[in-house]
Amino acid sequence: AQKVTQAQTEISVVEKEDVTLDCVYETRDTTYYLFWYKQPPSGELVFLIRRNSFDEQNEISGRYSWNFQKSTSSFNFTITASQVVDSAVYFCALSDPSGSARQLTFGSGTQLTVLP
Amino acid sequence: NAGVTQTPKFQVLKTGQSMTLQCAQDMNHEYMSWYRQDPGMGLRLIHYSVGAGITDQGEVPNGYNVSRSTTEDFPLRLLSAAPSQTSVYFCASRTPGPPYEQYFGPGTRLTVT
């Protein structure tokens, strides 16, 4: 069975600090996709990034960066120089590659609060 | 192109009442699904469909029914609402092939008293 663990339930930082959100996953599949979503206070789910299991290159997008390490089954998300607008719940998710069954398996989410 | 739409946005029900949460997509996606979001538990899959006329259960299907008569629509029915069904419900559709990207609706916040 697939599982996604986000051990950090809540994180609070002061603006301009860097913060890393952890994501550890379990799957028996050799091909899979990993995702990060942001859920701001308004409630919608905002897609941030997708990674497939064959691409272990780290990715940077502005202040956001992602570290995918297959050896430790982790897909961590770092926000550099955090801003108040980054306050949200962040979800890590794992996709069933066959597409016919489980759709997405989500972690329980990390509530990030950035204080001014 | 509206993407995935859900109605209503908010709903309050009394225990035992029934209702249907509507979901529609205009991207011609075969795959659609319903998730519920509860505090501290992330999103959990309720039901999904791989095409018109085909549905299957997800992780938490009890108390919910679905049907898929068209590619566009995937309604979720609560036959007899219970307080345990108080949650935020998200409908999603996804691309048929890699990278299996999911498109989420804006959500329906349901309260059962």
Side-chain angles (χ1 to χ4, degrees), chain A residues 4 13 19 21 31 40 46-47 50 53 55 60 62 67 77 89 102 108 113-114:
Chain A
V4 177
V13 299
V19 58
L21 310 182
T31 304
V46 178
F47 167 79
R50 168 189 57 248
S53 52
D55 183 0
I60 298 175
N67 184 343
F77 172 31
V89 181
R102 289 293 177 180
S108 55
T113 303
V114 182

Side-chain angles (χ1 to χ4, degrees), chain A residues 1-73:
Chain A
Q2 297 185 117
K3 186 177 178 182
V4 177
T5 301
Q6 294 180 256
Q8 305 150 308
T9 306
E10 295 181 23
I11 300 176
S12 184
V13 299
V14 177
E15 203 169 20
K16 296 185 184 173
E17 285 184 4
D18 298 347
V19 58
T20 295
L21 310 182
D22 297 332
C23 173
V24 174
Y25 62 92
E26 295 175 29
T27 179
R28 281 180 277 191
D29 296 310
T30 55
T31 304
Y32 49 88
Y33 290 85
L34 293 161
F35 300 79
W36 275 95
Y37 288 87
K38 174 182 179 180
Q39 187 176 46
S42 51
E44 75 273 20
L45 286 164
V46 178
F47 167 79
L48 294 178
I49 191 172
R50 168 189 57 248
R51 216 60 183 152
N52 76 52
S53 52
F54 294 108
D55 183 0
E56 289 194 66
Q57 282 192 351
N58 291 334
E59 180 153 342
I60 298 175
S61 175
R63 296 183 297 106
Y64 295 170
S65 62
W66 290 268
N67 184 343
F68 175 32
Q69 291 197 330
K70 225 167 164 179
S71 60
T72 56
S73 297

Side-chain angles (χ1 to χ4, degrees), chain A residues 73-86:
Chain A
S73 297
S74 64
F75 186 43
N76 296 337
F77 172 31
T78 297
I79 302 175
T80 303
S82 59
Q83 300 176 0
V84 172
V85 293
D86 296 327

Side-chain angles (χ1 to χ4, degrees), chain A residues 33 39 50 97 99-100 103-104, chain B residues 31 37 48 94 99-101:
Chain A
Y33 290 85
Q39 187 176 46
R50 168 189 57 248
S100 64
Q103 304 290 308
L104 281 176
Chain B
Y31 292 82
Q37 181 184 9
Y48 65 96
R94 72 160 175 82
Y100 307 105
E101 184 161 344

